[in-house]
Amino acid sequence: MKKSLWIILGVVLLLLGVFVWYKYYFVFGEGVKSGYLNYAMKKGYIFKTYEGKLIQEGFGRGKTGTITSYEFEFSVDDPEIFKQLETNSGKTFDLHYKEYNGALPWRGNTKFVVDKVVNMK
């Protein structure tokens, strides 16, 4: 009886660990987004994280023939990347990001984490 209880507990902990890994640490997707950097800031109550917003232009589903802007909100892990973004606000950036299935409070407010500046104009 005790042995089966320990086995069940071990399986439950293993499944919980796999769920947490998949939800918060598994990289669901990665890519590059381009646009004008609207803002880069450090914010948070307990965990101070780096956040930013990129404005992308393109044709959207707004009125026919008009240009609609899209917003890409992201978090940044690396303070050096944040400094580069902060000092060049308003410029055009190509940012490489990783998309996770969930956000962690110490990693940022979004599921998108920028890990590299590919290009800056």
Side-chain angles (χ1 to χ4, degrees):
M1 180 71 172
K2 268 190 168 182
K3 187 175 183 179
S4 63
L5 187 61
W6 282 109
I7 291 173
I8 291 171
L9 182 63
V11 169
V12 168
L13 287 176
L14 180 67
L15 290 175
L16 183 64
V18 168
F19 172 76
V20 168
W21 171 80
Y22 177 75
K23 179 76 174 168
Y24 299 109
Y25 294 98
F26 174 73
V27 177
F28 177 70
E30 53 185 305
V32 176
K33 295 260 188 182
S34 300
Y36 294 98
L37 183 65
N38 189 9
Y39 65 78
M41 66 178 156
K42 183 177 180 180
K43 69 178 188 176
Y45 293 110
I46 296 172
F47 299 104
K48 299 292 185 186
T49 59
Y50 304 115
E51 309 295 329
K53 184 189 289 188
L54 205 64
I55 304 295
Q56 302 171 287
E57 293 181 356
F59 293 103
R61 295 185 178 223
K63 296 179 183 175
T64 307
T66 61
I67 295 178
T68 306
S69 67
Y70 299 98
E71 298 175 350
F72 173 61
E73 293 188 15
F74 59 89
S75 302
V76 180
D77 259 347
D78 188 359
E80 293 300 317
I81 294 173
F82 174 73
K83 281 183 185 176
Q84 185 178 6
L85 294 173
E86 185 181 40
T87 56
N88 294 293
S89 185
K91 293 187 178 178
T92 303
F93 281 90
D94 297 334
L95 301 176
H96 184 270
Y97 68 93
K98 293 181 180 178
E99 179 181 359
Y100 297 92
N101 291 316
L104 289 170
W106 52 86
R107 189 169 60 199
N109 292 335
T110 68
K111 299 186 308 183
F112 302 100
V113 178
V114 169
D115 60 349
K116 182 177 15 174
V117 174
V118 176
N119 191 13
M120 179 182 68
K121 299 174 199 163

